[in-house]
């Protein structure tokens, strides 16, 4: 068991590394040549110009020589805190602003809990001498402050029970206030926000195949019949996956071309030559610039062909459409209702923001979706429960005893005080960390395979999985495998009521491990985050090898984004640790508070200066955040019950059993009270905004506004990517495409003879002809109808 | 342990009692004076006239003397099967027709399973001699046919594993087909069914209090603003609970009056006298007829006063309304969407049928509802887990050993062969049955307290609770407490993976007990059901003491109703038994098949001839039925795993673990695929019906049709109840009430000065004035606007 000196060493190492990171950051960020790495957000916003273009001297353009600025190396902190929240929402979006509130939530929950715990529980624990008496347990000094120090069947456990109640009520109160606040922020954001295409648009999936009509005609007829007064227009979705991969390939080829051109430009004496064979090592030598130029030309041709094929081939249109309505009210109605008899067809939901759409997954049919969910469910189960074994093995190998056993010749080295402390205080955290690096990618692939159709939902699902994984492997895995790997097997065969006991008993012993973990992962990790080492290196590599123009330099910046799928579960883990240890080993709480405070400042700085928002989901992740804190709370309560029942405080169980029941009820209550604000869109709001807009802009051409909103990014970015050789061709294509879209919305008379099992619609279309002819006149304004 | 001879005795007793019931039924139903007890449905439909009025002789009017009819005493059975399903739906509603399909589902599942089990498993089991060798276990002959007869680690278990797969797939296949069929029956029923008020109406709950406007004005303004083109009218709900209780009291007083009047009529010499004091035993004697006449007059006055108060007092109007729309489409939209920013206000859902409304619960606010749910959840937990203890105690007392221990002097009697068989084969079932008689009432009270607002949902919730109770107490309780009451306690402390083992091991031993249970509860119980003993006695008592007119006689009939809340969980229990024992002791299956077949015939007869349908929910209970069969299937699979793991067939577990996963996935799949048909109303359907109706009846006065649809039954039944003295008064009142309702729908200009936090609506009402004035002209057609 780690002693106080181990902890101190670990704290020193981590504080030092955090300090080094901060100093390095302070120096690097002041260098003008790093400006684009540390302030990309402002470049993207167009509010900052390249300092390398300014009229300063050649050296000062690259290196900052003003020494006074180095003295104020921590002044980014107050600066990060300066921007008020409304401005932050405006600057970086609601998602980022609410994300920061998770850290604040941590502070709000744990600062009062820590004060109370230090005022009550630490004195109660420390005035015992149980651990001194037990000879065969080498208790660390930290354990004297924990619940382990209280003798069996002591009346002092009542203090812990009362505190468990107090902490629970305080946590629930803060959570409720926060949910209320975030819900009202979301509604205010949605209400204040200006017109956006997704307000009027519904994503329709699983359009049934029809032998007589194309998808586009079918969608139009269906919505003209079933939403006759409200349907405005729709956009079909093209299967552009192949096209997207071709465009991507072309981009990489152009990078190579740039590289060789730059090489030639720097050394004009010799044209760069490469071999064409395997990995550029064999085969005949050719001129690299010529080679890549011809390759790019070839792929450009292919792209043009594929683009033409997609635009013309009816099979490239997927059974999916973005249907737009005349009012927000009608879109809200369509998104919240069931359209067809068969609940697996004509599925409607709010369209994600255009930049939030995950295009690859739009056309997965319903049955395939459910099967995918089953497969991923089983796969995730195996991932979670079999990932545990290697971690546990490596961790037990990396303990002092493990090393001595595996390699007896290392014994003299390992038994050195410093190395021993290092192994005990530092190594387990690092091993855990290494194992977790590849996890997010796997989880994200799983979510993608599962078929979600927006980036935000992909990230939310990955975050949920990551959280479960963390609880099972990092939390439970560390507690059980850390003491002995063999416990894992017996644990699975244990009684239901014994599980909380087994874990509960191990909890106080693991406090020092988790303190180390917090320092490694929380303190040093966050400080490393601000240094942005990976983007920094990549930027300078690209800058040296590829950048020719200012535009290339812009592309070389990689601001990254918040990464909800990995960062949120990490924060949640600290909530879990804090809540579990609040009654057991309160000494852990200050470490967690420091983490929350430090991370809040760092991420506020990053959000203001670095991260580029990929999408805006208007804080729709909050119900998940709220739910996970509650799960952590319930786990803490159950473990407390288990721990106390082994301490001879049998009376405690009936008192503590009410807490998880109450917490669960609170969860259900909040679900009914606040969650709808994150899932549905009240008609009252929609109607209000519609009416306001109608009064303000009576002559708005909404159709024109929505026409091109949901075009696949490959079509949109066409003119950016291909500005050299195939420009005219593509522009023509895009024009053709939009002409086709326009043309489709003009009413095409149905070609079919009879509509099986649906006698009404033809009557409807006859009945509602005024609105339809109006529709047609609208449509013909946009483009000529198809022949 | 019961032997084959015990079973035979029990079977003989039960078959005999079932036969006696059937014969008694055959005789009683042919007597004309019982006609109203056994054919009330036809009287209610007006298709059968009292045989006592016919022109036959005095004796034949009361007793059937045609002996030939007695010979054909079982011919009600083919008659009950004759009516085709569509006619049955027309005759008794979809609920009843689909309810009968549950029995058919049982036959469809278990007949093929039984055939397969007898062809494969019984030969596999019976050709072993394990049980013969074990001396200390007194195995019954039935056990020779069960899995107990197979030695440990035998390869023969593979037969059981393969069969478990076969049975699972067959069950899932039948369930899916049935779900599909019922869903399409429901949709066809909803589509073919004629105009009903609930198609156009939405129940709005939690109307927020407003200082400036009445509930009625508020509702109207809200829906005129947020559904401007669709809102038609609304009805406020009066708090008539006190009125209803007064009316009920009056009815009981009139019964007493009738009783004394009839007494006087039969014996005109002496006017009936009663004492006015405590329970009619003390105090002065008065003329009973005069007393009750005056009492009725007094209460009639009170009723009139209360009625006037309810109609005039604004506090009697509850914050709830039934809002009707112009089209089914609009009602479907409103029911499926969220109306207000605050998701706990303006809650909308489909209005239940008028006769399905549970009026007392309409006005419970949201927060109170969630707290009630918590309370009932905890109460139900205690009911379920502490009810177990008395059952187990009584059952162990009622065993041979228990009786001998408790009352040694009974030993000679108890040891008689016949008594012993009776105690072992018959008593446990009866004890269980007695305990369960009071349960449904408690469960129904719980559901009512929980705040559901329709009878159908009350019954559905009670059924769910009853099912859980049955599983925990009857199924698990019998298996564990039956062998030893002490097991209960150890069971709670057992390991998760050991629980299926403990139960699984006990399962084969309990086969004989459950066979007895099936015969007592299933065979004799169902035969008792058809005899209708309780309604028969009550009818004749009432007929003798109270009936004066033909109308009174009609009221004396008590056809009863299907009673979904108690009967459905009973059927489900047989599904559970059948699925659990299908692989373990297939001998049990024929007993279950006989139950399903017999019950199907009996209940088909009852539904055709007796039960009066209380409400029509269009089979909305099917998802629950489907889900419970799946729960039973999963339980069966887990217990099979537990049983096999104790049999040394360790290899079996990985093969069997896939089954519950697959079953759960199937549940989720069906939930997505079929359940929406039972919860939501597709817009396509609504639009189709609207269009058809508009074409067929363009001049329909929908408002007139909906005006009085949702009036509290106390107001509706006014003229029926009070046809003597206060008639004019009430008619005036009702007219006033409907005048008030009419008047309210005319547009009342808002009285308030400002609308806090909602700036838009005033602008909306100004903007949408054309539709509103149209509304007004509509409304004024119905009645004069209020001053």
């Amino acid at each position: 068991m780690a002693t106080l000196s181990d902890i101190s060493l670990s704290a020193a190492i981590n504080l030092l590394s955090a300090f080094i990171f901060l100093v390095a950051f302070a120096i690097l960020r002041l260098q003008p040549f790093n400006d684009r790495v540390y302030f990309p957000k402002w470049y993207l916003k167009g509010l900052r110009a390249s300092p390398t273009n300014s009229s300063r001297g050649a050296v000062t353009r690259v290196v900052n020589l003003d020494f006074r600025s180095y003295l104020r190396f921590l002044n980014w902190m107050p600066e990060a805190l300066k921007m008020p929240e409304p401005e932050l929402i405006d600057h970086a979006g609601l998602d980022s602003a609410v994300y920061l509130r998770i850290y604040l939530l941590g502070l709000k929950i744990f600062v009062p809990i820590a004060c109370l715990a230090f005022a009550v529980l630490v004195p109660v624990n420390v005035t015992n001498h149980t651990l001194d008496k037990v000879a065969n347990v080498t208790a660390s000094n930290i354990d004297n402050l924990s619940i382990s120090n209280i003798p069996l069947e002591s009346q002092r456990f009542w203090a812990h029970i009362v505190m468990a109640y107090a902490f629970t009520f305080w946590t629930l109160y803060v959570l409720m206030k926060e949910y209320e606040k975030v819900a009202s922020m979301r509604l205010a954001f949605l209400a204040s926000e200006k017109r956006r295409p997704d307000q009027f648009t519904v994503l329709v999936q699983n359009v049934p195949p029809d032998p007589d009509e194309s998808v586009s005609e079918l969608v139009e007829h269906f919505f003209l019949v079933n939403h006759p007064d409200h349907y405005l227009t729709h956009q079909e979705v093209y299967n552009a996956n192949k096209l997207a991969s071709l465009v991507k390939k072309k981009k990489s080829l152009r990078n190579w071309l740039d590289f060789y051109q730059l090489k030639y430009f720097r050394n004009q004496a010799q044209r760069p030559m490469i071999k064409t064979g395997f990995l550029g090592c064999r085969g005949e030598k050719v001129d690299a610039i010529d080679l890549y130029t011809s390759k790019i030309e070839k792929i450009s041709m292919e792209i043009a062909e594929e683009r033409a094929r997609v635009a013309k081939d009816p099979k490239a249109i997927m059974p999916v459409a973005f249907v737009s309505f005349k009012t927000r009210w009608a879109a809200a109605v369509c998104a919240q209702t069931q359209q067809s008899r068969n609940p697996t067809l004509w599925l409607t939901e709010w369209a994600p923001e255009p930049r939030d759409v995950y295009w690859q997954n739009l056309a997965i049919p319903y049955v395939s979706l459910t099967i995918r969910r089953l497969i991923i469910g089983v796969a995730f189960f195996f991932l979670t429960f079999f990932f545990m074994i290697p971690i546990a093995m490596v961790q037990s190998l990396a303990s002092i005893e493990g090393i001595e056993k595996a390699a007896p010749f290392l014994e003299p080295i390992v038994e050195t005080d410093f190395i021993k402390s290092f192994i005990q205080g530092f190594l387990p955290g690092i091993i855990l960390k290494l194992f977790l690096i590849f996890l997010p990618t796997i989880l994200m692939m799983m979510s993608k395979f599962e078929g979600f159709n927006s980036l935000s939902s992909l990230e939310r699902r990955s975050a949920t999985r990551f959280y479960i994984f963390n609880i099972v492997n990092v939390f439970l895995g560390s507690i059980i495998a850390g003491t002995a790997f063999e416990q894992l097997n017996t644990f699975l065969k244990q009684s239901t009521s014994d599980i909380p006991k087994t874990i509960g008993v191990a909890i106080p012993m693991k406090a020092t491990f988790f303190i180390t973990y917090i320092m490694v992962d929380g303190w040093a990790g966050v400080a490393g985050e601000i240094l942005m080492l990976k983007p920094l290196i990549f930027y300078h590599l690209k800058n040296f090898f590829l950048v020719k123009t200012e535009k290339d330099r812009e592309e070389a910046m990689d601001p990254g984004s918040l990464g909800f799928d990995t960062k949120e579960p990490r924060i949640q883990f600290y909530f879990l640790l804090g809540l579990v240890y609040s009654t057991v080993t309160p000494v852990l709480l200050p470490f967690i508070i420091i983490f929350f405070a430090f991370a809040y400042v760092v991420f506020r700085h990053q959000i203001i200066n670095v991260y580029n928002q990929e999408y805006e989901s208007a804080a729709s992740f909050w119900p998940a955040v709220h739910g996970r804190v509650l799960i952590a709370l319930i786990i803490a309560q159950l473990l407390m019950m288990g721990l106390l029942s082994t301490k001879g405080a049998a009376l405690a169980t009936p008192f503590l059993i009410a807490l998880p029941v109450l917490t669960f009820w609170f969860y259900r209550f909040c679900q009914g009270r606040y969650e709808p604000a994150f899932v549905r869109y009240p008609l009252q709001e929609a109607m209000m905004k519609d009416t306001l807009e109608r009064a303000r802009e009576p002559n708005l051409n909404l159709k024109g506004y929505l026409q091109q909103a949901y075009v696949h990014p490959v079509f949109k970015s066409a003119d950016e990517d291909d500005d050299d050789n195939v420009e005219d061709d593509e522009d023509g294509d895009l024009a053709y495409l939009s002409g086709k879209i326009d043309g489709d919305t003009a009413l095409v008379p149905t070609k079919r003879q009879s509509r099986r099992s649906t006698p009404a619609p033809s009557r409807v279309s006859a009945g509602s002809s005024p609105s339809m002819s109006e529709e047609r006149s609208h449509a013909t304004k946009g483009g000529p109808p198809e022949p």
Side-chain angles (χ1 to χ4, degrees), chain A:
Chain A
M1 196 172 291
T3 60
L4 203 59
S5 67
D6 297 343
I7 298 281
S8 314
L9 178 76
S10 171
I13 292 173
N14 283 298
L15 280 177
L16 192 70
S17 57
F19 186 76
I20 291 170
F21 287 153
L22 287 183
V23 169
F25 167 68
I27 294 168
L28 288 173
R29 74 188 275 269
L30 290 176
Q31 309 313 323
F33 67 93
N34 287 331
D35 211 48
R36 276 181 183 276
V37 177
Y38 291 109
F39 301 97
K41 178 88 184 163
W42 298 101
Y43 284 93
L44 289 172
K45 287 222 146 191
L47 294 173
R48 196 176 180 112
S50 241
T52 37
N53 289 342
S54 66
S55 53
R56 284 183 280 173
V59 178
T60 50
R61 254 190 275 157
V62 180
V63 182
N64 187 340
L65 296 176
D66 181 2
F67 285 97
R68 278 165 305 169
S69 60
Y70 290 106
L71 293 177
R72 301 189 300 270
F73 76 100
L74 273 180
N75 70 349
W76 57 269
M77 282 195 179
E79 255 170 44
L81 296 176
K82 229 184 265 165
M83 188 183 270
E85 197 169 47
E87 203 186 319
L88 187 69
I89 294 174
D90 204 49
H91 175 75
L94 187 68
D95 276 349
S96 313
V98 171
Y99 179 81
L100 286 176
R101 291 189 75 93
I102 307 179
Y103 296 104
L104 279 185
L105 178 71
L107 290 176
K108 282 181 201 161
I109 289 179
F110 289 114
V111 169
I113 286 186
C115 295
L116 205 57
F118 273 87
V120 178
L121 290 183
V122 169
V124 167
N125 293 336
V126 85
T127 50
N128 290 279
H129 302 283
T130 320
L131 293 178
D132 301 352
K133 288 177 226 153
V134 188
N136 59 344
V137 176
T138 51
S140 72
N141 319 26
I142 282 178
D143 282 342
N144 284 334
L145 304 176
S146 86
I147 205 171
S148 322
N149 200 19
I150 293 190
L152 293 182
E153 295 179 40
S154 165
Q155 291 301 314
R156 296 195 178 203
F157 287 119
W158 288 108
H160 298 86
I161 294 172
V162 171
M163 283 298 114
Y165 267 88
F167 296 165
T168 297
F169 281 112
W170 173 250
T171 309
L172 296 187
Y173 173 76
V174 173
L175 276 174
M176 196 177 78
K177 282 281 154 211
E178 198 66 22
Y179 212 154
E180 204 174 313
K181 173 77 186 161
V182 173
S184 76
M185 277 170 78
R186 177 183 159 95
L187 286 175
F189 179 75
L190 290 177
S192 74
E193 149 190 81
K194 53 183 196 302
R195 190 163 50 242
R196 289 198 331 194
D198 48 308
Q199 293 169 337
F200 296 91
T201 306
V202 163
L203 171 60
V204 180
Q205 286 176 297
N206 289 306
V207 175
D210 190 294
D212 300 319
E213 290 189 334
S214 74
V215 170
S216 184
E217 289 161 352
L218 197 62
V219 168
E220 181 165 32
H221 286 145
F222 185 86
F223 284 94
L224 274 178
V225 167
N226 293 307
H227 296 265
D229 307 330
H230 309 292
Y231 171 78
L232 180 66
T233 180
H234 75 275
Q235 283 160 69
E236 57 271 82
V237 175
Y238 294 87
N239 185 349
N241 294 352
K242 195 184 163 196
L243 186 58
S245 77
L246 283 176
V247 168
K248 205 174 153 196
K249 206 169 154 193
K250 183 180 173 185
K251 205 172 174 183
S252 118
L253 287 175
R254 176 165 299 160
N255 274 346
W256 280 111
L257 179 63
D258 288 347
F259 171 72
Y260 287 114
Q261 279 177 339
L262 218 63
K263 202 172 171 186
Y264 178 58
F265 176 76
R266 282 178 195 148
N267 177 12
Q268 300 226 354
Q270 186 191 357
R271 277 186 80 86
M273 306 292 281
I274 54 163
K275 293 176 182 171
T276 53
F278 177 74
L279 285 177
C281 303
R282 292 192 306 187
E284 52 174 338
K285 271 197 169 181
V286 293
D287 185 304
I289 294 178
D290 291 350
L291 178 74
Y292 279 103
T293 312
S294 73
K295 269 191 179 174
I296 286 174
E297 253 167 45
K298 202 177 138 215
I299 209 164
S300 294
M301 296 279 284
E302 271 178 53
I303 288 175
E305 263 171 39
E306 173 67 16
R307 189 163 274 155
R309 192 191 67 77
V310 165
K312 270 154 207 153
D313 184 7
K315 276 179 194 156
I317 298 179
M318 301 201 284
V320 179
F322 289 95
V323 176
S324 299
F325 293 87
K326 287 177 192 155
T327 55
R328 289 177 184 84
W329 187 90
V333 160
C334 183
Q336 292 179 49
T337 50
Q338 185 184 335
Q339 308 305 313
S340 140
R341 229 169 201 262
N342 183 337
T344 63
L345 297 180
W346 297 105
L347 292 179
T348 53
E349 59 174 310
W350 278 108
E353 251 198 331
R355 55 187 170 155
D356 191 14
V357 177
Y358 185 70
W359 296 89
Q360 282 92 316
N361 274 351
L362 287 182
I364 302 172
Y366 181 80
V367 176
S368 163
L369 264 189
T370 57
I371 294 173
R372 278 157 182 248
R373 231 149 256 187
L374 173 68
I375 294 172
I376 290 298
V378 172
F380 179 66
F381 176 84
F382 279 97
L383 178 72
T384 309
F385 283 90
F386 289 82
F387 209 78
M388 211 167 188
I389 293 166
I391 290 193
M393 271 166 56
V394 174
Q395 277 191 342
S396 63
L397 262 184
S399 68
I400 299 284
E401 297 78 23
I403 291 175
E404 287 178 2
K405 217 172 172 181
F409 54 88
L410 284 178
E411 202 176 319
I413 305 172
V414 165
E415 287 292 323
T416 323
D417 273 0
F418 177 77
I419 301 277
K420 198 173 170 184
S421 298
F422 177 82
I423 288 174
Q424 284 184 330
F426 208 66
L427 213 57
I430 286 182
I431 288 169
L432 212 51
K433 200 71 203 157
L434 279 176
F435 267 98
L436 293 178
I437 279 177
F438 298 102
L439 192 67
T441 324
I442 300 170
L443 292 178
M444 187 48 102
M445 274 164 53
M446 282 183 161
S447 304
K448 281 180 181 168
F449 181 78
E450 219 177 339
F452 290 97
N453 47 35
S454 64
L455 297 176
S456 54
S457 54
L458 283 172
E459 293 206 339
R460 280 204 300 278
R461 173 54 70 112
S462 297
T464 307
R465 292 248 158 82
F466 200 1
Y467 179 66
I468 296 171
F469 185 91
N470 263 347
I471 288 186
V472 173
N473 285 305
V474 185
F475 185 67
L476 297 184
S478 303
I479 287 175
I480 293 159
T483 47
F485 171 58
E486 286 76 23
Q487 275 212 9
L488 186 76
N489 201 23
T490 54
F491 172 62
L492 285 173
K493 290 190 178 160
Q494 238 162 1
S495 143
T496 327
S497 59
D498 276 357
I499 292 173
K501 274 186 206 167
T502 321
I503 306 171
V505 169
I507 286 275
M509 296 190 269
K510 281 284 149 185
T512 48
F513 168 73
F514 282 117
I515 289 176
T516 320
Y517 180 83
I518 293 168
M519 288 189 292
V520 175
D521 180 84
W523 299 4
V526 168
E529 177 72 35
I530 205 170
L531 194 60
M532 305 256 302
L533 213 59
K534 200 181 129 199
L536 182 74
I537 294 167
F538 272 71
Y539 171 74
H540 285 296
L541 284 178
K542 277 188 189 167
N543 210 6
F544 186 76
F545 289 117
L546 301 177
V547 169
K548 284 190 301 185
T549 64
E550 195 62 18
K551 195 166 150 281
D552 288 346
R553 183 165 293 126
E554 210 158 275
E555 272 173 33
M557 301 192 302
D558 175 21
S561 64
L562 205 54
F564 182 80
D565 56 330
T566 52
K567 298 218 175 75
E568 194 265 350
R570 265 176 65 189
I571 315 177
Q572 287 292 349
F573 194 68
Y574 294 101
F575 278 105
L576 178 66
L577 288 183
L579 289 170
V580 166
Y581 280 101
S582 59
T583 42
V584 176
T585 313
V587 180
L588 193 125
L589 292 176
F591 292 88
I592 284 181
I593 291 173
I594 290 172
F595 161 76
F596 275 119
F598 183 48
Y600 175 69
V601 179
V602 166
F603 280 99
R604 207 166 206 271
H605 171 267
Q606 295 290 82
I607 281 170
I608 292 174
N609 295 312
V610 182
Y611 296 147
N612 182 29
Q613 205 189 1
E614 269 184 55
Y615 57 81
E616 175 62 61
S617 71
S620 58
F621 55 77
W622 193 263
V625 172
H626 174 87
R628 279 174 219 148
V629 177
L630 285 179
I631 291 174
L633 188 59
I634 289 181
I635 291 178
Q637 290 158 351
L638 292 177
L639 294 186
M640 181 71 188
M641 267 170 63
L643 177 60
L644 283 191
S645 68
T646 61
K647 289 277 183 184
L651 258 176
T653 310
F655 281 94
L656 288 175
I657 195 92
L659 284 179
V661 174
L662 194 74
T663 310
F664 182 73
W665 174 78
F666 176 81
Y667 169 72
R668 293 300 299 269
F669 170 77
C670 286
Q671 199 179 32
R673 175 67 186 82
Y674 301 110
E675 200 178 307
F678 293 85
V679 186
R680 317 179 89 183
Y681 190 40
L683 295 187
Q684 197 181 15
E685 292 275 324
M687 186 54 97
M688 223 183 276
K689 286 209 80 175
D690 285 337
T691 316
L692 270 175
E693 189 176 78
R694 216 178 295 130
R696 279 192 196 140
E697 299 172 75
N699 299 319
L700 173 74
N701 179 9
L702 193 58
K703 194 162 185 171
Y705 171 70
L706 293 170
Q707 201 71 270
Q708 293 292 326
Y710 283 94
V711 170
H712 196 295
V714 165
F715 296 115
K716 265 198 176 159
S717 62
D719 23 50
E720 284 172 31
D721 281 341
D722 305 272
D723 42 5
D724 38 12
N725 42 3
V726 281
E727 199 167 10
D728 47 353
D729 182 43
E730 273 149 26
D731 275 3
D733 240 2
L734 192 66
Y736 169 80
L737 202 71
S738 50
K740 191 164 153 50
I741 289 164
D742 284 1
D744 277 348
T745 50
L747 195 73
V748 184
T750 178
K751 288 171 198 155
R752 73 176 81 181
Q753 296 304 309
S754 70
R755 276 171 181 263
R756 282 143 302 151
S757 80
T758 51
S762 56
R763 197 182 297 228
V764 174
S765 29
S768 62
S769 54
S771 76
M772 274 162 73
S773 62
E774 179 198 314
E775 197 55 46
R776 183 182 291 146
S777 69
H778 240 276
T780 42
K781 249 182 267 165
E786 273 198 333

